[in-house]
Amino acid sequence: MSETAYIKLVPGSAQQTITVDEIKGLLKEYKENTTKTGHQLSWNYGETAFPYEIKETPEGKGRWFYLQSNVDRYNVILFGVDQEKIVDEENQERIQTYIQITLAETSTYGDKNKANEFCKYLSKKLKGELHLFNGRIMYDYPRK
């Protein structure tokens, strides 16, 4: 059975909307940062921290993409962007953008661990509300 996590862009977030290309850019930034850390430690950390290739299909163009790995303990993680209508505390209806991270049937425990790392990284960068695979919620945006 597949599992899903969400990063919701709430009013306190750094931005209210996001595109698939922006998510890809943040993941590339993550890989660059871990590669730089690896250079400082004289270790190939970039490949270990991000053992995936970013791939996109024609039918998913602009809506979703996936990370595919050829490394033994990893397989696939899917990322998508969508919007939903919600009613806030003041009974105002608004559109909320969210990032959906899905582990497929063929995903491994390694994929789940990496997906949790990527979720936390993206949520902190975007100051979002992270709904983890286990149902817990992390608030990375400034709260009143």
Side-chain angles (χ1 to χ4, degrees):
M1 183 172 171
S2 62
E3 296 182 68
T4 305
Y6 298 94
I7 301 170
K8 297 185 178 189
L9 301 179
V10 296
S13 296
Q15 59 192 63
Q16 298 304 304
T17 60
I18 193 162
T19 65
V20 166
D21 291 332
E22 289 174 311
I23 297 169
K24 288 180 192 175
L26 288 170
L27 290 172
K28 287 176 184 173
E29 180 183 303
Y30 176 85
K31 185 172 182 172
E32 289 170 7
N33 290 345
T34 56
T35 301
K36 288 176 186 175
T37 301
H39 287 303
Q40 292 173 343
L41 300 172
S42 299
W43 181 45
N44 193 13
Y45 184 56
E47 293 300 316
T48 304
F50 196 87
Y52 298 97
E53 288 181 42
I54 297 174
K55 297 188 176 186
E56 189 170 26
T57 62
E59 60 267 7
K61 189 100 173 122
R63 293 189 6 233
W64 61 273
F65 66 95
Y66 63 100
L67 302 179
Q68 180 74 48
S69 179
N70 294 327
V71 178
D72 184 33
R73 292 175 294 174
Y74 306 103
N75 192 13
V76 66
I77 304 172
L78 292 90
F79 286 80
V81 176
D82 205 357
Q83 294 181 331
E84 63 185 351
K85 285 185 181 179
I86 65 162
V87 178
D88 60 14
E89 296 85 32
E90 293 95 32
N91 287 330
Q92 299 289 326
E93 190 174 283
R94 66 179 178 85
I95 302 290
Q96 180 172 289
T97 302
Y98 63 90
I99 303 168
Q100 180 176 338
I101 302 91
T102 305
L103 298 171
E105 298 283 336
T106 59
S107 296
T108 65
Y109 286 108
D111 290 323
K112 186 171 185 176
N113 291 333
K114 287 296 177 188
N116 276 322
E117 282 182 42
F118 301 151
C119 286
K120 290 176 184 176
Y121 177 79
L122 292 172
S123 183
K124 283 183 181 168
K125 286 297 246 184
L126 298 169
K127 295 183 180 167
E129 180 180 292
L130 172 58
H131 295 252
L132 292 163
F133 295 106
N134 63 7
R136 293 187 179 152
I137 300 174
M138 295 177 71
Y139 303 95
D140 291 312
Y141 61 92
R143 295 177 66 189
K144 295 178 184 177

